[in-house]
Amino acid sequence: MPISHNPLLGRPTLMALGAAAAFFAAWLAVKVNLDRACVIGDTPYLDLCTPAPDRTAQLRTRIAANPGDTAAYVELALSPRSAQQARALSAAVLLAPSDPRLQKLEAARALERNDVNAAVAMLVKIVENHVQEEPATLALAKLLLSGQSPALEAHLQAGAQWPQRVLGRLSQAGGSISSALPLVSRALAAGALDPAAVTAYIARMKDEGALTDAHTLWVTLHGRTLPLLYNGGFDQPFVMGGFDWEPHAQAQRGRAGAVVDRSGAEGRGGVLDIRLTGRPIALPMISQLIMAGDGPLRLQGEYRAMQMRMDPGIAWVVRCTTGPGQVIFRSTGFTDTGNAWKTFEHDFEVPPECGNIVRLELGTIATASPAAAELASGRGRIWFDNLALLRRPR
């Protein structure tokens, strides 16, 4: 039955099936062109070519003499001229079930008859066992983007390689990781994707501006409800690319105006440790994207500072991630405490126009403009610990 005649499939699925079948049609065309070169003799270096009319007869003779001649069945099944192609394919599959050429032909046939599950099953086998099978990988990516994620999810198992290969082709197929969140989540749960790969997908989605989807995957990666401010006690190493703390890139620490580290403190575990060197400070010194939503919030924590010479001091800043990145809150300055720990607490509100996600940054009071930020500098050392972001009653 032609693909376009099946009333049970929606238009996106039909388009994807047609596109997937086209990949295999193109692959089979390579074989057709090779046969044509053999027939007209315009490729003299192909010394294995045999005139097509005789070749089919030769294959039949070989099969009659040796019913187990796998190579003959395979070649006959792949020949577009063979009137017995379907029968030859059935026999060849029995003799060589793992031959990728036959698997591709079976997948193409399944797509032509709208059997999505059968096509996906065969495509998964191909992609799992053959790294370089780009047409099959791209076909699966297109099926995934057409809404066929459940058909792919049925083949997830621990240690599988095909999910990562297919997800790596989504952009080429015209989609993004955001389009495949159900598959990614279930693949992670099934052990078919490792956390490092998922973190890389999160970073990619952040770069693409799909922050809400990226955060959804971040929560899925952890498998539990997370606090608004992640790793506020600085006890865990920072996860680059995720919704954790992101220190400003320091290409040359010896020339940095603010050297940002996690360090240990007696009786406290990890703390945020910032050493100011007197050179211009690249801002923000450290930041974190937060799924805050709109409404009233409270930022609280502890800090201590020693030999700080920076007036009026360092400050926490909250800005929108939409539009020009409007600053909606700036704390009072953190100045020298004589090396004693002190608590702080600041209330602010996220306006609806700011979007669901804001960025908490550590900057300075004197950073009302980009030009001022480039000139900000100071000396001394400051530590932060036990930071938390809490919702307040409206």
Side-chain angles (χ1 to χ4, degrees):
M1 180 185 297
I3 291 175
S4 59
H5 292 173
N6 190 333
L8 300 179
L9 298 178
R11 182 175 179 81
T13 301
L14 294 175
M15 294 174 64
L17 287 174
F23 282 113
F24 288 101
W27 172 79
L28 291 172
V30 174
K31 175 66 179 173
V32 173
N33 291 336
L34 178 59
D35 289 341
R36 178 179 178 275
C38 292
V39 170
I40 65 177
D42 62 359
T43 313
Y45 53 82
L46 293 176
D47 54 2
L48 298 179
C49 290
T50 305
D54 295 337
R55 186 58 176 167
T56 299
Q58 290 176 6
L59 293 173
R60 290 174 180 168
T61 300
R62 283 172 53 183
I63 291 171
N66 179 12
D69 191 337
T70 302
Y73 274 113
V74 170
E75 186 173 346
L76 194 60
L78 296 174
S79 172
R81 298 189 186 87
S82 173
Q84 298 178 321
Q85 187 183 45
R87 291 174 58 188
L89 176 59
S90 298
V93 168
L94 289 174
L95 293 169
S98 299
D99 189 304
R101 298 169 298 174
L102 299 177
Q103 290 177 330
K104 282 186 280 192
L105 188 57
E106 283 191 283
R109 290 286 178 83
L111 289 173
E112 289 171 355
R113 64 177 183 269
N114 299 332
D115 191 343
V116 177
N117 291 330
V120 167
M122 193 55 63
L123 290 168
V124 166
K125 285 183 181 179
I126 296 170
V127 176
E128 179 68 24
N129 297 316
H130 304 280
V131 178
Q132 302 300 325
E133 288 295 348
E134 181 177 344
T137 309
L138 203 50
L140 275 178
K142 286 187 173 290
L143 288 169
L144 175 59
L145 294 175
S146 75
Q148 297 302 316
S149 183
L152 277 73
E153 292 166 20
H155 300 278
L156 291 172
Q157 57 184 353
Q161 299 299 309
W162 68 264
Q164 192 163 345
R165 293 169 185 169
V166 171
L167 293 170
R169 292 291 183 180
L170 285 180
S171 58
Q172 188 178 350
S176 65
I177 294 293
S178 294
S179 309
L181 281 182
L183 178 68
V184 175
S185 299
R186 290 177 175 83
L188 178 64
L193 285 176
D194 60 60
V198 175
T199 301
Y201 297 145
I202 292 170
R204 188 192 308 178
M205 285 190 286
K206 287 171 60 180
D207 291 342
E208 294 170 351
L211 297 181
T212 300
D213 287 342
H215 189 269
T216 298
L217 191 53
W218 174 252
V219 174
T220 301
L221 177 63
H222 288 80
R224 57 185 173 85
T225 302
L226 299 175
L228 286 180
L229 187 63
Y230 183 78
N231 198 10
F234 304 98
D235 294 318
Q236 303 298 322
F238 302 149
V239 179
M240 296 297 102
F243 284 75
D244 198 348
W245 295 106
E246 300 180 45
H248 190 282
Q250 302 177 46
Q252 294 180 308
R253 288 170 61 93
R255 297 183 179 181
V259 179
V260 179
D261 280 313
R262 285 176 56 253
S263 65
E266 185 176 353
R268 286 183 171 266
V271 297
L272 178 63
D273 182 352
I274 299 174
R275 181 169 56 86
L276 305 179
T277 67
R279 296 183 176 86
I281 300 173
L283 299 176
M285 290 176 263
I286 193 169
S287 66
Q288 183 177 145
L289 288 169
I290 300 170
M291 175 67 83
D294 63 340
L297 297 170
R298 172 170 295 159
L299 176 66
Q300 64 183 37
E302 300 174 69
Y303 77 103
R304 72 181 172 108
M306 181 178 66
Q307 298 177 347
M308 283 283 289
R309 294 195 298 275
M310 187 173 188
D311 188 23
I314 285 175
W316 286 105
V317 176
V318 177
R319 67 174 69 243
C320 302
T321 56
T322 57
Q326 172 191 359
V327 173
I328 58 173
F329 163 75
R330 190 186 303 274
S331 73
T332 55
F334 295 96
T335 55
D336 199 293
T337 67
N339 207 27
W341 283 99
K342 292 187 176 183
T343 61
F344 67 90
E345 184 176 280
H346 297 290
D347 292 344
F348 64 96
E349 187 160 346
V350 179
E353 60 270 20
C354 206
N356 290 326
I357 295 180
V358 297
R359 187 185 298 274
L360 175 65
E361 303 177 344
L362 186 60
T364 68
I365 291 295
T367 53
S369 69
E374 292 297 325
L375 297 175
S377 64
R379 288 188 179 275
R381 199 164 181 177
I382 187 167
W383 296 263
F384 289 94
D385 194 15
N386 295 325
L387 267 62
L389 193 61
L390 307 175
R391 297 197 186 281
R392 295 184 293 117
R394 291 180 180 270

